[in-house]
Amino acid sequence: MILPKKQLSLNESLFGFGAFLLEHIGTPISVDDLWEYYKNSYDTQKYPVKFSFDQFIITLDYLYIVGAIKENERGLLCYEAA
């Protein structure tokens, strides 16, 4: 489920979902605001796959583990390089 494969499209994988979320973490953002952004994107069909909040958190964990995001001193998510 993390990586796409023959039966799982990129959008359905946590890898693809993480890439979608990273597009919106250009500026520091709270977890709640990022979740709202995803829900609005799903509702307006900007992102075609429905994920649960648990899958959202697993995706954030994955992004943190691979070093793509970090938590800043104010508790907001941002790029690790920032």
Side-chain angles (χ1 to χ4, degrees):
M1 173 153 180
I2 292 176
L3 296 173
K5 51 187 164 187
K6 188 174 184 179
Q7 295 84 13
L8 189 69
S9 73
L10 182 61
N11 288 336
E12 295 170 318
S13 70
L14 297 182
F15 184 76
F17 186 42
F20 172 76
L21 295 176
L22 278 175
E23 290 177 355
H24 197 67
I25 304 179
T27 58
I29 187 170
S30 70
V31 172
D32 292 337
D33 289 342
L34 189 59
W35 174 246
E36 286 301 317
Y37 168 72
Y38 161 68
K39 287 193 326 184
N40 290 336
S41 296
Y42 177 75
D43 290 342
T44 59
Q45 299 177 344
K46 292 180 183 174
Y47 198 79
V49 180
K50 183 168 179 83
F51 284 98
S52 68
F53 186 73
D54 290 338
Q55 291 169 315
F56 171 76
I57 295 298
I58 290 169
T59 303
L60 293 181
D61 288 343
Y62 167 73
L63 292 174
Y64 180 79
I65 289 168
V66 300
I69 61 173
K70 67 176 182 177
E71 183 181 22
N72 70 11
E73 62 280 350
R74 294 178 36 207
L76 301 176
L77 299 176
C78 56
Y79 280 119
E80 178 63 47

